[in-house]
Amino acid sequence: MENNKNQYKFSEGDILNFKVTGYKEIPGTEESFYILENPFGGKHLLRAIHYKNYGLKVGQLLTCKIDKINCSGKIYLEPENPVYKEGLIYDFELVMETEQQNSVGEWERVAIVKDVFNNEIPCSLPDNFYRNIDSNSMQCKVLRIKKGVLYLAVPEQNGNSRNITIGEKYWFKVVGVKPLHDNIDYYILEDSEGNRYSLKKDMYVHYGFDAGSEVRCTITKYNTDGHLKIEPDHPCYETGKTYDFKYLYTEEDENPLGENHKVIVVEDALGIETKVRSLNSNDFKVPESGYIKCLVEGIRKGKAILSIA
């Protein structure tokens, strides 16, 4: 996993205690949020609808994982599930077995199971998987939890039968372009064992991929269907190095509570605009040179995640 950080120097995967300081309903919408405070006093919003079964209360301490830091430095938290833990195996009620298309557009066997909160969840089944047809339950391994939803796999394959590790880099071959969800084009890549992966084409068109290209990618995390996601090496930037970025302007981002925060917008070597967040007011001064030195904290969806160097 990329060692992505933000202005608090959090990294994806960090686990910290946050205090639930408030609950806010947004007038005129059906949206509501818990307001969380991190150990440094910074505020975060947690969409309440995803965690209605968690029994969250104002004033409590809540253990959360830094699940994602996006390309503009925004942090996404995942609270500790009150029942399930990532990496452990549980019995689930079996609802049905069916077929569905996975993240590379291939049809595969899927078991629909139900958790203790009555959420129905798909679990991909390998071709050689045998299920006791007389049983109304099955064991699944929790690969990941995101927005309160469990990502599952059968324990026999641990979510993948490949000799690969999340956070490590491997070589992949571009085998073509394929229209998938909502008829949007995706690059299809293949590893050395013939397993396939997808990348949304419009996020990587500036990388210059062609059919047959060899691409080095990092295994990042599990997809919703239990298959793995990848992030190609950026053609211009390396994580952990500092580069000059063209300063464009400073703007204010508004969160769902109507609060404004300043962000710097810069342009990278490929002409792509990227937001940079900072807690230091001096960083928002227009540079005389027209450029700002930024540290590349990571790469996500073809864009560099930046912090002020």
Side-chain angles (χ1 to χ4, degrees):
M1 183 180 294
E2 296 285 0
N3 188 29
N4 302 336
K5 299 181 178 180
N6 81 323
Q7 64 265 41
Y8 298 110
K9 299 307 177 186
F10 292 153
S11 297
E12 287 186 359
D14 284 353
I15 297 176
L16 304 101
N17 286 326
F18 293 75
K19 185 175 182 179
V20 183
T21 60
Y23 175 82
K24 180 76 172 179
E25 295 181 348
I26 308 302
T29 75
E30 296 182 356
E31 291 275 26
S32 57
F33 295 84
Y34 290 101
I35 304 170
L36 276 59
E37 182 178 282
N38 69 40
F40 303 100
K43 297 293 193 295
H44 306 264
L45 298 180
L46 193 67
R47 187 166 269 109
I49 192 171
H50 300 312
Y51 306 101
K52 59 185 179 181
N53 297 312
Y54 280 41
L56 303 184
K57 297 179 180 178
V58 174
Q60 79 175 91
L61 279 179
L62 183 62
T63 301
C64 298
K65 180 177 71 173
I66 308 297
D67 185 63
K68 183 176 82 169
I69 302 173
N70 71 9
C71 53
S72 63
K74 184 178 178 181
I75 290 176
Y76 293 84
L77 303 178
E78 187 61 42
E80 186 175 63
N81 189 290
V83 177
Y84 302 101
K85 309 298 179 191
E86 291 180 352
L88 298 185
I89 297 170
Y90 300 88
D91 287 319
F92 290 84
E93 177 187 343
L94 178 64
V95 178
M96 63 182 294
E97 184 177 323
T98 183
E99 288 189 344
Q100 71 176 25
Q101 279 188 301
N102 60 24
S103 53
V104 294
E106 298 170 343
W107 288 95
E108 62 182 9
R109 292 173 61 203
V110 172
I112 306 298
V113 300
K114 188 180 291 186
D115 67 12
V116 297
F117 304 118
N118 286 321
N119 298 310
E120 293 190 358
I121 309 162
C123 177
S124 175
L125 303 176
D127 292 336
N128 61 353
F129 178 75
Y130 170 78
R131 180 179 63 79
N132 182 356
I133 60 174
D134 296 322
S135 176
N136 61 358
S137 68
M138 65 177 288
Q139 287 196 322
C140 300
K141 183 174 182 177
V142 178
L143 301 174
R144 184 184 174 199
I145 304 174
K146 179 180 179 181
K147 297 180 180 178
V149 176
L150 308 181
Y151 294 12
L152 304 175
V154 293
E156 287 81 358
Q157 68 164 24
N158 274 343
N160 72 90
S161 57
R162 289 147 275 179
N163 185 28
I164 53 179
T165 304
I166 290 178
E168 297 296 323
K169 292 180 181 287
Y170 302 90
W171 286 95
F172 300 80
K173 179 181 286 188
V174 179
V175 297
V177 175
K178 185 177 184 179
L180 296 177
H181 322 290
D182 297 324
N183 210 34
I184 295 172
D185 283 343
Y186 284 73
Y187 289 112
I188 304 299
L189 288 78
E190 192 172 83
D191 66 20
S192 60
E193 298 178 18
N195 301 296
R196 294 195 164 189
Y197 308 76
S198 61
L199 293 170
K200 197 174 180 182
K201 184 181 178 183
D202 65 0
M203 294 179 176
Y204 300 94
V205 67
H206 50 289
Y207 279 40
F209 293 155
D210 293 312
S213 297
E214 295 286 340
V215 181
R216 194 172 73 157
C217 304
T218 301
I219 304 291
T220 56
K221 56 186 65 175
Y222 287 102
N223 212 330
T224 52
D225 58 4
H227 293 270
L228 288 163
K229 301 177 74 171
I230 58 176
E231 182 66 48
D233 285 355
H234 197 282
C236 302
Y237 304 118
E238 291 184 37
T239 299
K241 291 190 175 182
T242 300
Y243 302 86
D244 288 328
F245 289 82
K246 183 180 180 181
Y247 173 88
L248 295 180
Y249 54 90
T250 298
E251 68 176 14
E252 290 193 345
D253 266 0
E254 183 178 342
N255 67 23
L257 300 183
E259 300 169 339
N260 291 317
H261 301 274
K262 282 187 176 181
V263 294
I264 301 164
V265 181
V266 300
E267 183 180 273
D268 71 11
L270 299 173
I272 296 173
E273 293 187 7
T274 302
K275 294 181 180 180
V276 189
R277 297 173 187 267
S278 176
L279 295 177
N280 187 344
S281 59
N282 291 326
D283 290 336
F284 295 100
K285 296 178 180 177
V286 178
E288 292 182 6
S289 67
Y291 288 83
I292 295 179
K293 285 192 178 298
C294 295
L295 175 67
V296 176
E297 302 277 10
I299 307 295
R300 180 179 296 283
K301 296 180 179 179
K303 294 180 69 174
I305 300 171
L306 306 175
S307 63
I308 303 298

